[in-house]
Amino acid sequence: MAQLEGYYFSAALSCTFLVSCLLFSAFSRALREPYMDEIFHLPQAQRYCEGHFSLSQWDPMITTLPGLYLVSVGVVKPASWIFGWSEHVVCSIGMLRFVNLLFSVGNFYLLYLLFRKVQPRNKAASSIQRILSTLTLAVFPTLYFFNFLYYTEAGSMFFTLFAYLMCLYGNHKTSALLGFCGFMFRQTNIIWAVFCVGNVIAQKLTEAWKTELQKKKEERLPSIKGPFSEFRKILQFLLAYSMSFKNLSMLFLLTWPYILLVFLFCVFVVVNGGIVIGDRSSHEACLHFPQLFYFFSFTLFFSFPHLLSPSKIKTFLCLVWKRRIQFFVVTLVSIFLVWKFTYAHKYLLADNRHYTFYVWKRVFQRYEIVKYLLVPVYIFAGWSIADSLKSKSIFWNLMFFICLFTVIVPQKLLEFRYFVLPYVIYRLNIPLPTTSRLLCELACYATVNFLTFYIFLNKTFQWPNSQDIQRFMW
């Protein structure tokens, strides 16, 4: 069975890479000049490729650290030495974009290894489910699209997934080093290095919690009763656990590489005067709470075969009726957050090349009441996501949602790219869906990808005051 799984994996990876190469060829023919954010990334990478690493050569419009450019030079430069290619060929737009296609192959392999590590292997059918899950996530539309442009998405995903994998295997020094590499691609990836710390802490807390429950059961101690009894028990446990020097020293010895990484990040923030480098005016942090609701909706849309079903809706409605006071309070709080903390970034309102522009203009901006009417959908989506993670421990869920909140809420700009990493982490950790649901999910992703690529390559337009060709994209 293991040998068959290897064949299936090789076939899936080979076919995906072949299709990606054909799409890359189509992109290269259609886009011979830098497009969108590439107008900043590509010239900067070409300056690095030519050996110009001084700060005076840095484009102030770039807000991320130079991880993408450094890795690109490390990949394409040896090609010039091995094959004798000229600088013009090696540092060309096509070669630099191809680096992300190589990252996509690495992401495919890492996703497969993560599914093997995270998901239990207790039945023969799970091998097919793991390969289908890997293939599905590898072609996830908002991630797959950016494999063909010179953006930071593919490399950011690669180093974050690699760090997570090493964390799960207990190689915490390697994981922290890879977390640093991810940080060099995008500063917010430091949150996913913290998630690796949380993963270690959650594992130890879960082990101690099980021991505590078993001890109480054997001693037949009276349980705490009341509406928040479970919360109170966990809080008491956490306080007792954190007061133990033995526990804290054990956690420190396990997580010190991540603590060092977070310390270096704090030094960077102090020296840099903020998390953003370059143009900070367009990347101001704020408490944009509805971003969490948008992420829930985004996840519900792309994971609907697993999160949306008549039985799930019925269970949710029964739960709402049973706990109607709690849900009424949650609804009021959600409406308040939508009312007071909804922001529209200037890029969202001005750039009609992104799908989010049309979502905002034709739905939220046209009908003011829609953002309030969608609150029940947000609540259902949030509940469904939490319900799908009930196989994970309460401490793992706590760490995940804290990291999700930290990485999503401060972003003022609504952009689907920012949801990709948390979505992939979430999708990796839900139980393996049935083969039929995975095939449905894969078919939907393939359809969305086909439409996205077709519109991008064929449905071009021009702005009134510009001769440049514009294209619709994520």
Side-chain angles (χ1 to χ4, degrees):
M1 196 66 206
Q3 190 175 11
L4 273 177
E5 186 172 349
Y7 291 145
Y8 294 149
F9 169 77
S10 300
L13 177 57
S14 301
C15 290
T16 305
F17 185 63
L18 176 61
V19 172
S20 297
C21 286
L22 294 174
L23 281 170
F24 183 81
S25 177
F27 264 70
S28 298
R29 288 195 301 271
L31 271 75
R32 298 189 181 275
E33 298 296 326
Y35 186 68
M36 288 290 288
D37 289 1
E38 285 188 328
I39 62 174
F40 310 117
H41 294 309
L42 283 167
Q44 188 64 53
Q46 288 169 339
R47 283 192 283 272
Y48 273 39
C49 198
E50 293 163 2
H52 304 305
F53 295 97
S54 66
L55 290 176
S56 61
Q57 298 286 322
W58 183 262
D59 188 335
M61 292 301 293
I62 296 174
T63 59
T64 52
L65 292 165
L68 176 61
Y69 321 130
L70 293 170
V71 171
S72 298
V73 171
V75 171
V76 300
K77 271 294 184 180
S80 66
W81 305 329
I82 295 169
F83 301 108
W85 293 341
S86 65
E87 291 287 337
H88 176 73
V89 173
V90 168
C91 300
S92 66
I93 293 173
M95 281 292 289
L96 291 171
R97 284 176 179 161
F98 191 74
V99 170
N100 275 345
L101 207 60
L102 297 178
F103 272 130
S104 73
V105 176
N107 286 333
F108 194 105
Y109 187 48
L110 287 171
L111 286 168
Y112 173 70
L113 293 177
L114 280 163
F115 273 117
R116 285 182 63 88
K117 183 64 178 174
V118 172
Q119 302 294 344
R121 287 170 283 172
N122 53 7
K123 53 183 179 179
S126 65
S127 61
I128 297 297
Q129 290 168 296
R130 279 195 299 271
I131 299 227
L132 276 175
S133 296
T134 301
L135 178 59
T136 302
L137 270 189
V139 299
F140 177 58
T142 45
L143 171 64
Y144 190 62
F145 179 85
F146 289 101
N147 290 339
F148 305 97
L149 295 174
Y150 196 64
Y151 275 59
T152 58
E153 264 60 39
S156 171
M157 179 67 67
F158 176 82
F159 285 108
T160 303
L161 291 180
F162 205 168
Y164 184 34
L165 181 67
M166 290 297 101
C167 172
L168 293 177
Y169 275 102
N171 298 327
H172 300 302
K173 293 177 185 176
T174 306
S175 178
L177 180 61
L178 291 164
F180 173 77
C181 294
F183 164 73
M184 288 294 289
F185 273 72
R186 183 170 288 169
Q187 290 92 307
T188 52
N189 285 345
I190 193 68
I191 302 301
W192 299 111
V194 174
F195 172 73
C196 290
V197 181
N199 200 77
V200 176
I201 295 172
Q203 185 180 0
K204 295 301 176 184
L205 286 173
T206 303
E207 292 170 2
W209 177 242
K210 287 179 179 177
T211 304
E212 181 75 11
L213 290 178
Q214 185 63 32
K215 181 182 175 183
K216 286 184 177 180
K217 187 177 179 181
E218 290 173 356
E219 294 178 357
R220 297 182 180 179
L221 295 174
S223 59
I224 302 172
K225 294 182 179 180
F228 300 101
S229 58
E230 194 67 26
F231 175 76
R232 287 164 62 192
K233 283 191 289 186
I234 291 171
L235 188 60
Q236 287 177 359
F237 164 75
L238 288 174
L239 286 172
Y241 189 91
S242 61
M243 294 299 289
S244 168
F245 177 76
K246 179 183 177 182
N247 292 334
L248 293 179
S249 59
M250 178 267 294
L251 289 177
F252 176 80
L253 290 174
L254 280 173
T255 61
W256 71 263
Y258 305 108
I259 295 171
L260 179 60
L261 177 60
V262 172
F263 173 75
L264 292 174
F265 168 75
C266 293
V267 171
F268 161 78
V269 171
V270 171
V271 172
N272 185 54
I275 190 173
V276 177
I277 63 172
D279 179 26
R280 298 179 187 176
S281 61
S282 302
H283 295 82
E284 297 174 350
C286 64
L287 287 175
H288 194 179
F289 291 106
Q291 283 277 37
L292 204 57
F293 302 147
Y294 305 148
F295 174 77
F296 290 160
S297 305
F298 176 88
T299 303
L300 182 67
F301 177 82
F302 282 109
S303 284
F304 79 91
H306 324 308
L307 299 181
L308 198 58
S309 67
S311 61
K312 274 239 175 187
I313 295 172
K314 184 179 178 181
T315 303
F316 174 71
L317 292 175
C318 291
L319 187 64
V320 168
W321 179 251
K322 186 179 178 181
R323 301 180 180 176
R324 46 191 176 276
I325 296 175
Q326 292 95 320
F327 274 96
F328 179 71
V329 172
V330 169
T331 303
L332 286 180
V333 171
S334 300
I335 290 172
F336 175 77
L337 293 176
V338 169
W339 175 42
K340 284 294 185 182
F341 294 95
T342 296
Y343 300 102
H345 196 282
K346 60 182 180 180
Y347 287 171
L348 176 64
L349 300 173
D351 198 336
N352 66 345
R353 293 171 293 183
H354 290 292
Y355 296 146
T356 47
F357 171 87
Y358 298 95
V359 172
W360 193 265
K361 183 180 178 182
R362 295 180 181 178
V363 180
F364 291 94
Q365 202 171 28
R366 181 176 294 181
Y367 309 105
E368 182 72 15
I369 197 171
V370 167
K371 61 184 182 182
Y372 302 109
L373 293 177
L374 285 174
V375 165
V377 178
Y378 299 151
I379 294 172
F380 170 75
W383 170 84
S384 190
I385 290 166
D387 184 66
S388 65
L389 289 169
K390 63 186 178 184
S391 60
K392 310 297 288 187
S393 73
I394 189 170
F395 304 108
W396 188 96
N397 275 275
L398 183 64
M399 298 296 180
F400 173 74
F401 281 105
I402 287 173
C403 290
L404 174 64
F405 181 92
T406 309
V407 81
I408 291 292
V409 169
Q411 303 277 3
K412 189 175 183 180
L413 177 61
L414 170 60
E415 192 163 350
F416 293 141
R417 287 189 299 144
Y418 300 154
F419 298 158
V420 173
L421 247 175
Y423 176 84
V424 170
I425 297 293
Y426 157 77
R427 183 64 181 75
L428 279 166
N429 284 281
I430 65 173
L432 282 174
T434 60
T435 304
S436 59
R437 289 186 177 183
L438 286 169
L439 288 172
C440 176
E441 185 182 33
L442 181 59
C444 291
Y445 285 9
T447 303
V448 172
N449 278 329
F450 173 79
L451 293 173
T452 305
F453 290 127
Y454 177 79
I455 291 170
F456 182 81
L457 295 173
N458 297 291
K459 300 296 181 180
T460 60
F461 65 101
Q462 288 180 300
W463 286 335
N465 58 346
S466 174
Q467 295 298 314
D468 295 336
I469 299 296
Q470 307 300 337
R471 302 172 187 273
F472 299 105
M473 61 184 287
W474 287 107

